[in-house]
């Protein structure tokens, strides 16, 4: 398996634009996690899914953020409208179950100008 | 107050030294994770612990549930171990992260 695949690797966008980040988890993994990492706040869990169903989205900062998992092999994290303070590295991770280790994607570095 | 505290924040060691990174947490947990983030930014999960001790190569992780404390040890450290090590704990559906320990191993 190629591991967790995220796209794009880098995204630069203007304030107010919609941004969509994509993630393909490892096949057979039932859990998918979206994280955000900034210098100020470190690593934060935004939302996670089990079998495509959102389990906990309490980490999603605002209504501007939304995440979907339409099937077991694809998830998106959308920010609309984007703001400069959303600039961060966004990681996606997947795990076989809640009690096993998670595998991380390479991250998407988002810059909102 | 952070639910997860790591120490030290920064650590510089000579190649070959034995290294210990500590993680203390204030909540009851289901599991504790040690993550490694290399300078390029990629994150690797090193260990997931709920009790006892795990070993993988030169890395050893221990956890004491009663004391709410975990340690990550690196034996015979090498410059390629230079990275940020992050402790994370899970409590039910909640995850809490330490701010990381930045390790530099000098040849």
């Amino acid at each position: 398996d190629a591991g967790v695949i995220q796209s794009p690797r880098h995204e630069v966008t203007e304030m107010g634009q919609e941004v969509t980040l994509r993630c393909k988890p490892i096949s057979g993994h039932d859990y998918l996690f979206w994280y955000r990492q900034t210098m100020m706040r470190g690593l934060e869990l935004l939302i996670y899914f089990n079998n495509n169903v959102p389990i906990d989205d309490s980490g999603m900062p605002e209504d501007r953020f939304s995440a979907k998992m339409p099937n077991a092999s694809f998830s998106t994290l959308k920010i609309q409208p984007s703001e400069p303070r959303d600039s961060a590295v966004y990681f996606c991770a997947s795990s076989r179950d809640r009690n096993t280790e998670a595998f991380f994607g390479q991250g998407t570095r988002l810059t909102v100008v | 107050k952070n639910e997860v505290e790591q120490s030290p924040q920064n650590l510089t060691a000579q190649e070959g030294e034995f290294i210990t990174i500590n993680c203390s947490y204030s909540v009851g947990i289901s599991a504790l994770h040690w993550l490694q983030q290399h300078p390029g930014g990629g994150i690797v999960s090193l260990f997931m612990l709920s009790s006892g001790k795990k070993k993988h190569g030169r890395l050893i992780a221990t956890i004491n549930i009663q004391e709410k404390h975990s340690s990550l040890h690196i034996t015979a450290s090498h410059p390629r171990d230079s990275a940020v090590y992050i402790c994370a704990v899970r409590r039910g559906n909640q995850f809490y992260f330490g701010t990381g320990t930045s390790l530099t191993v000098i040849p």
Side-chain angles (χ1 to χ4, degrees), chain A residues 32-34 45-49 54-57 59-60 67 77:
Chain A
L32 183 140
F33 306 83
W34 281 103
L45 177 66
L46 301 177
I47 185 172
Y48 76 95
F49 295 83
I55 300 302
D56 190 313
D57 65 355
M60 296 285 262
L77 178 67

Side-chain angles (χ1 to χ4, degrees), chain A residues 35 37 48 56 98-99 102, chain B residues 37 45 48 90 93-94 97:
Chain A
Y35 297 91
Q37 187 178 40
Y48 76 95
D56 190 313
R98 203 165 72 157
N99 295 318
Chain B
Q37 186 168 30
S45 176
M48 194 204 69
R90 178 171 63 80
N93 287 337
Q94 296 295 313
F97 296 88

Side-chain angles (χ1 to χ4, degrees), chain A residues 37-68:
Chain A
Q37 187 178 40
T38 61
M39 289 292 291
M40 290 295 294
R41 300 172 67 91
L43 201 58
E44 303 171 279
L45 177 66
L46 301 177
I47 185 172
Y48 76 95
F49 295 83
N50 177 27
N51 291 323
N52 314 337
V53 176
I55 300 302
D56 190 313
D57 65 355
S58 59
M60 296 285 262
E62 300 173 32
D63 291 345
R64 298 183 297 107
F65 285 68
S66 62
K68 293 182 181 178

Side-chain angles (χ1 to χ4, degrees), chain A residues 6-18:
Chain A
Q6 290 186 246
S7 64
R9 290 293 304 277
H10 302 273
E11 175 84 30
V12 181
T13 191
E14 289 186 343
M15 186 173 78
Q17 296 297 307
E18 178 180 292

Side-chain angles (χ1 to χ4, degrees), chain B residues 90-105:
Chain B
R90 178 171 63 80
R91 174 186 169 86
N93 287 337
Q94 296 295 313
F95 288 78
Y96 304 94
F97 296 88
T99 53
T101 294
S102 179
L103 170 65
T104 303
V105 181

Side-chain angles (χ1 to χ4, degrees), chain B residues 42-91:
Chain B
I43 296 177
V44 174
S45 176
L46 297 175
F47 295 104
M48 194 204 69
L49 294 162
S50 54
S51 65
K53 173 178 163 179
K54 284 190 177 180
K55 184 176 189 292
H56 185 257
R58 295 180 294 106
L59 303 178
I60 303 166
T62 64
I63 187 168
N64 185 317
I65 297 293
Q66 287 73 29
E67 294 186 4
K68 293 186 168 61
H69 181 267
S70 175
S71 293
L72 176 68
H73 306 285
I74 305 175
T75 61
S77 59
H78 190 277
R80 64 174 175 264
D81 298 325
S82 298
V84 175
Y85 293 84
I86 301 169
C87 173
V89 301
R90 178 171 63 80
R91 174 186 169 86

